[in-house]
């Protein structure tokens, strides 16, 4: 992972989060936000990985750093509603001509197929290559891939992708499932008393963290503190895709 | 209003196409990519019948005098000073296609004409020319428009001056002004203010100028010796020469005065952010947007400042929002290209904190 102009990728574990956009403040001081405003982001690497939201940016930035993917830059496109305009705008941004690979990542949420289709439609509207399935590359100049998490599964005999969940679910799937027994019992108790939780995935993650040395940390801070086992086999398809993205040859023949 | 502009063979540009210019166009890009040259191409298109059209660029760059040679007077407008191919500037202005061709002619024989001549650093002097001289070096200027207008003139290199020989010219050229990185000639600003005073539009300047000088109550053009200088009433018991107020005030006044006296024309400003405090920039842009609309003028500016571009996007809002566009010049594979942002794309880039310069 390289340092980008905004300094957003220079953060070390334990630092507070510095927002990338014009800076809705997220757990950081106004000084940091103003720094981000003064230093707009350039596209400095041939592999651009754009993800939905600050938490995802923190998570995937950490993984890219861990994997030493020096040709990859991670950006936050903030929300799916903004993806279409982001994809149009990023093509005007200085450095775009050097981008060889674009990876777009987002949650499956309630419906992996719908999540895939939304990204596909935004890519099409931005005149970019449209992968037919997640975890595969399409086109060139740049080639494009879509990542969905936690883990979409192709329905046998069709092109439909199944699966639900969020980044929190992916993180929790990285830890030994026995470690979640207490958290799940707690949530079962709560829901028995008060009914179903609206944001169960977040509650489950916080309940798990409460029983660890990371108690009290927000998701991004827990991520930065190394709360998730990124060596888990659950991460293998993601790591394989990101390694493949970074190994794409450049025009000069060297790896991107 | 210029809707599009194409440059061929001018200074650093072999070919450059600006497919969309709006009432307020901001030009960005790295050093040496041709932002100022683009302004000069636009200015030359409008100022083609001014004998100062080529040597004026020296004054704007702070060069006081130049030798009257083809290499100094004509060659700098050609790529690599190579005058073998003509400069062509093409514009679409309010639906009309217009074209200016500037060709070097080493042996022009003037007919009997009345011309103008100028020397570097001096004002324009109108002199009669006999038209019986031998061949002289010339920059032949040929302008045509799809509306039927045609101008033909020759910029002549004389022993002591540059002269303009005119074959044919039609009236009613729109005005253009170029403002360099510093403050323009205060005498010219004062004269132009006088025009606004005569037409009763001078009071329109006060409100936008309060963005940088909230105390401003009024303005006057005052004769001081041989010059006419702008004075401002900022509530200090007497009016002060504008030059004694801030650089930003002086410059903004100049720009607004030029906008107010270029109806249907073009005002070009190099490095518009100069002298304006960031806290005032948004209001300044709001005032400029209202002024160019009111006076039916077009403003093309350059900047190096991201904050300036952000302020433009914030200040040129509401009913004026679509008047703003942004163009970044960039070098790609040895050529300079224009990357045009429409309003939506510019807003998105700023909202996401993406670099645009």
């Amino acid at each position: 992972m390289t340092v980008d102009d905004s300094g957003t990728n220079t953060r070390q574990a334990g630092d507070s989060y510095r927002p990338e956009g014009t800076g809705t403040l997220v757990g950081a001081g106004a000084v940091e936000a103003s720094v981000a405003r003064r230093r707009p982001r350039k596209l400095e690497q041939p592999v651009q990985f754009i993800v939905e939201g600050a938490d995802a940016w923190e998570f995937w930035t950490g993984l890219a750093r861990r994997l030493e993917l020096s040709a990859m830059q991670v950006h936050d496109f903030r929300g799916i509603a903004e993806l279409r305009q982001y994809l149009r705008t990023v093509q005007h941004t200085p450095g775009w001509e050097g981008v060889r690979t674009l990876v777009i990542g987002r949650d499956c949420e309630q419906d992996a197929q719908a999540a895939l289709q939304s990204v596909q439609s935004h890519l099409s509207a931005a005149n970019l290559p449209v992968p037919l399935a997640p975890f595969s590359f399409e086109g060139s100049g740049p080639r494009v891939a879509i990542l969905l998490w936690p883990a979409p599964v192709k329905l046998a005999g069709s092109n439909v992708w199944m699966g639900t969940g969020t980044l929190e679910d992916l993180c929790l799937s990285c830890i030994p499932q026995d470690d979640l027994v207490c958290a799940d019992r707690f949530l079962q108790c709560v829901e028995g008393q008060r009914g179903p939780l609206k944001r169960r995935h977040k509650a489950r993650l916080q309940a798990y963290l409460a029983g660890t040395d990371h108690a009290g940390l927000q998701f991004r801070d827990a991520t930065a503190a190394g709360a998730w086992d990124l060596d888990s086999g659950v991460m293998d398809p993601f790591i394989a895709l990101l390694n493949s993205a970074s190994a794409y040859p450049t025009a000069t023949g060297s790896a991107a | 209003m210029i809707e599009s502009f194409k440059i061929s063979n001018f200074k650093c540009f072999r070919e450059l196409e600006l497919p969309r210019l709006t009432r307020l166009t901001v030009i960005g890009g790295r050093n040496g990519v041709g932002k100022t040259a683009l302004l000069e191409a636009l200015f030359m298109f409008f100022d083609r019948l001014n004998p100062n059209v080529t040597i004026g660029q020296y004054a704007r760059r702070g060069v006081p005098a130049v030798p009257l040679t083809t290499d100094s007077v004509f060659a700098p407008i050609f790529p690599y000073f190579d005058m073998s191919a003509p400069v062509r500037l093409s514009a679409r202005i309010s639906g009309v296609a217009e074209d200016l061709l500037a060709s070097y002619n080493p042996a022009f024989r003037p007919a009997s004409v009345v011309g103008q001549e100028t020397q570097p650093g001096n004002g324009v002097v109108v002199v009669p020319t006999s038209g019986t001289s031998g061949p002289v070096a010339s920059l032949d200027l040929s302008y045509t428009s799809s509306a039927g207008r045609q101008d033909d003139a020759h910029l002549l290199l004389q022993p002591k001056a540059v002269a303009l020989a005119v074959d044919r010219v039609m009236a009613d050229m729109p005005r253009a002004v170029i403002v360099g990185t510093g403050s323009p000639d205060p005498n010219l600003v004062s004269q132009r203010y006088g025009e606004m005073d005569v037409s009763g539009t001078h009071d329109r300047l006060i409100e936008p100028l309060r963005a940088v000088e909230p105390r401003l109550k009024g303005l006057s053009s005052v004769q001081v010796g041989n010059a006419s200088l702008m004075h401002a009433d900022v509530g200090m018991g007497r009016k002060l020469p504008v030059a004694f107020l801030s650089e930003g005030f002086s410059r903004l006044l100049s720009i607004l005065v030029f906008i107010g006296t270029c109806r249907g024309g073009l005002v070009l400003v190099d490095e518009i952010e100069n002298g304006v405090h960031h806290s005032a920039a948004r209001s300044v842009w709001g005032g400029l947007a209202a002024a160019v609309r009111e006076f039916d003028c077009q403003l093309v500016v350059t900047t190096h400042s991201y904050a300036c571009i952000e302020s433009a996007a914030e200040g040129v809002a509401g009913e004026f929002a679509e008047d703003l566009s942004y163009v970044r010049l960039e070098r790609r594979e040895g050529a300079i290209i224009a990357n045009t942002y429409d309003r939506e794309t510019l807003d998105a880039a700023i909202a996401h904190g993406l670099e645009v310069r």
Side-chain angles (χ1 to χ4, degrees):
Chain A
M1 178 69 58
T2 57
V3 176
D4 79 6
D5 186 60
S6 69
T8 50
N9 291 345
T10 64
R11 188 196 49 71
Q12 297 298 310
D15 287 356
S16 55
Y17 173 68
R18 179 177 295 162
E20 290 204 356
T22 49
T24 303
L25 218 52
V26 185
V31 172
E32 287 181 306
S34 70
V35 167
R37 284 178 67 90
R38 285 201 305 271
R39 291 183 164 182
R41 288 177 291 120
K42 300 172 186 170
L43 307 180
E44 295 180 320
Q45 296 301 332
V47 182
Q48 297 290 315
F49 183 19
I50 63 170
V51 297
E52 181 183 11
D55 286 348
W57 178 85
E58 185 75 51
F59 180 84
W60 295 105
T61 295
L63 181 64
R65 185 184 295 122
R66 182 187 179 90
L67 298 174
E68 299 181 343
L69 300 178
S70 59
M72 177 178 288
Q73 234 180 327
V74 185
H75 294 297
D76 168 14
F77 66 85
R78 302 204 295 199
I80 195 66
E82 297 184 47
L83 180 57
R84 182 177 307 228
Q85 187 57 49
Y86 186 94
L87 290 173
R88 278 191 64 213
T89 303
V90 77
Q91 295 177 67
H92 288 268
T93 303
W96 173 254
E97 68 279 5
V99 174
R100 307 280 292 164
T101 302
L102 176 67
V103 182
I104 300 153
R106 63 162 302 193
D107 295 338
C108 287
E109 296 184 344
Q110 301 303 312
D111 182 344
Q113 185 67 19
L116 174 65
Q117 286 174 345
S118 73
V119 178
Q120 287 172 327
S121 71
H122 294 324
L123 284 166
S124 177
N127 292 318
L128 287 165
V130 182
L132 297 176
F135 296 91
S136 64
F137 292 101
E138 180 69 29
S140 60
R143 64 177 181 160
V144 176
I146 300 169
L147 285 189
L148 298 177
W149 48 76
V153 178
K154 192 174 182 182
L155 193 63
S158 77
N159 287 322
V160 175
W161 290 82
M162 304 294 289
T164 61
T166 64
L167 186 60
E168 286 85 349
D169 296 310
L170 176 64
C171 292
L172 289 176
S173 67
C174 289
I175 59 177
Q177 296 305 290
D178 289 350
D179 292 358
L180 287 167
V181 170
C182 296
D184 286 340
R185 281 184 186 155
F186 169 71
L187 294 183
Q188 197 175 14
C189 177
V190 170
E191 289 184 313
Q193 295 283 329
R194 303 178 194 166
L197 291 160
K198 288 181 180 174
R199 304 172 75 195
R200 196 175 199 284
H201 59 291
K202 289 189 182 295
R204 190 174 186 231
L205 183 135
Q206 287 299 330
Y208 163 73
L209 286 176
T212 70
D213 292 341
H214 306 300
L217 295 183
Q218 294 294 312
F219 175 83
R220 55 185 163 269
D221 296 324
T223 298
W228 323 118
D229 178 13
L230 299 178
D231 292 327
S232 163
V234 170
M235 296 303 299
D236 286 352
F238 298 96
I239 290 172
L241 188 289
L242 295 180
N243 276 325
S244 175
S246 296
Y248 193 57
T250 64
T252 57
S254 58
Chain B
M1 192 170 82
I2 302 181
E3 295 149 354
S4 62
F5 192 60
K6 184 176 178 183
I7 300 171
S8 302
N9 223 37
F10 179 83
K11 291 198 166 183
C12 52
F13 305 115
R14 285 294 182 193
E15 293 283 337
L16 180 75
E17 187 155 13
L18 302 170
R20 182 171 178 268
L21 293 167
T22 55
R23 193 171 285 284
L24 271 160
T25 303
V26 180
I27 310 290
R30 300 174 74 97
N31 289 108
V33 80
K35 299 185 294 297
T36 304
L38 169 57
L39 296 190
E40 288 178 330
L42 285 161
F43 187 57
M44 181 175 170
F45 187 84
F46 280 91
D47 205 41
R48 56 188 174 268
L49 297 180
N50 182 346
N52 216 18
V53 64
T54 58
I55 58 176
Q57 63 185 277
Y58 286 102
R60 289 192 292 276
R61 286 170 163 80
V63 179
V66 291
L68 292 176
T69 63
T70 55
D71 202 52
S72 298
V73 178
F74 298 152
I77 68 166
F78 294 89
Y80 303 106
F81 284 50
D82 174 6
M83 297 188 287
S84 59
V87 171
R88 182 183 291 275
L89 305 174
S90 307
R92 186 155 197 91
I93 302 179
S94 302
V96 176
E98 304 189 20
D99 195 72
L100 174 66
L101 199 65
S103 314
Y104 175 61
N105 182 348
F108 175 70
R109 288 185 178 276
S112 181
V113 293
V114 175
Q116 295 179 322
E117 66 176 26
T118 185
Q119 291 174 313
N122 290 349
V124 173
V125 180
V126 179
V127 295
T129 59
S130 68
T132 57
S133 63
V136 295
S138 161
L139 189 69
D140 294 345
L141 300 163
S142 175
Y143 163 89
T144 56
S145 87
S146 62
R149 177 173 176 151
Q150 187 158 356
D151 298 337
D152 288 295
H154 310 268
L155 208 58
L156 306 180
L157 202 54
Q158 306 284 36
K160 293 184 178 178
V162 177
L164 187 76
V166 176
D167 295 343
R168 147 173 63 178
V169 61
M170 298 170 78
D172 298 330
M173 281 180 62
R175 252 178 173 175
V177 177
I178 188 165
V179 178
T181 53
S183 288
D185 174 8
N187 200 39
L188 175 62
V189 174
S190 192
Q191 287 173 16
R192 290 291 188 94
Y193 177 81
E195 291 179 27
M196 294 187 73
D197 196 1
V198 168
S199 64
T201 54
H202 60 300
D203 287 344
R204 306 284 210 284
L205 299 170
I206 303 299
E207 195 57 40
L209 282 167
R210 283 184 178 144
V212 292
E213 180 47 87
R215 300 170 298 172
L216 182 65
K217 292 178 167 47
L219 294 161
S220 303
S221 173
V222 178
Q223 194 70 24
V224 179
N226 292 328
S228 171
L229 297 177
M230 291 302 300
H231 283 59
D233 177 0
V234 290
M236 298 182 73
R238 58 156 291 167
K239 291 182 178 178
L240 300 176
V242 162
F244 290 175
L245 296 174
S246 70
E247 165 79 10
F249 179 85
S250 181
R251 204 152 184 267
L252 181 59
L253 169 62
S254 307
I255 295 166
L256 287 166
V257 164
F258 291 142
I259 289 171
T261 54
C262 277
R263 190 172 287 278
L266 182 65
V267 174
L268 305 154
V269 183
D270 206 6
E271 297 184 12
I272 193 166
E273 72 271 23
N274 287 359
V276 178
H277 191 264
H278 67 87
S279 63
R282 179 178 172 171
S283 299
V284 166
W285 276 108
L288 291 172
V292 291
R293 186 82 76 89
E294 178 176 358
F295 292 103
D296 186 24
C297 181
Q298 192 169 9
L299 184 64
V300 181
V301 306
T302 71
T303 184
H304 286 115
S305 163
Y306 192 84
C308 176
I309 299 164
E310 276 185 307
S311 302
E314 291 169 359
V316 185
E319 63 174 305
F320 303 112
E322 291 302 320
D323 287 355
L324 178 69
S325 62
Y326 175 70
V327 178
R328 183 180 66 252
L329 300 183
E330 58 188 69
R331 284 187 195 278
R332 201 175 286 182
E333 296 173 357
I336 298 169
I337 64 162
N339 194 330
T340 302
Y341 289 61
D342 60 21
R343 185 58 207 251
E344 190 181 7
T345 305
L346 178 62
D347 286 348
I350 291 170
H352 284 282
L354 290 169
E355 181 59 273
V356 297
R357 295 167 297 172

